[in-house]
């Protein structure tokens, strides 16, 4: 679960950085990427990051629930 979440976060970051990189170099050759497509790609990258973080959090709580280091409750 955590590996999948980590992969989603990394892919989302790579997607957003790719979009930003293309938009920064778009000044040399204007019109290469439509602004709407760039906005949709950046939003998809954000969704992937949020889903990845959710999977990472779920994996962390599952480890504690399955008998990880539990504090002594007396």
């Amino acid at each position: 679960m955590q590996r999948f979440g980590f992969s989603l976060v990394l892919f989302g970051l790579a997607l957003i950085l790719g979009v930003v990189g293309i938009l920064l170099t778009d000044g040399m050759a204007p019109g290469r990427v439509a602004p709407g497509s760039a906005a949709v790609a950046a939003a998809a990258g954000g969704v992937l990051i949020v889903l990845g973080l959710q999977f990472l959090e779920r994996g962390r709580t599952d480890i504690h629930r399955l008998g990880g280091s539990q504090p002594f409750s007396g």
Side-chain angles (χ1 to χ4, degrees):
M1 183 76 74
Q2 287 184 329
R3 288 181 186 173
F4 182 65
F6 188 67
S7 299
L8 283 176
V9 169
L10 285 181
F11 186 71
L13 284 174
L15 182 62
I16 290 175
L17 288 175
V19 168
V20 169
I22 287 175
L23 288 177
L24 285 176
T25 61
D26 199 39
M28 293 183 276
R32 229 178 10 174
V33 177
S37 299
V40 168
V47 168
L48 288 176
I49 290 173
V50 170
L51 285 175
L53 290 174
Q54 183 181 8
F55 279 126
L56 285 173
E57 182 66 23
R58 184 183 299 165
R60 186 180 70 84
T61 57
D62 285 347
I63 288 173
H64 289 298
R65 194 177 312 135
L66 293 175
S69 59
Q70 297 286 332
F72 181 70
S73 61

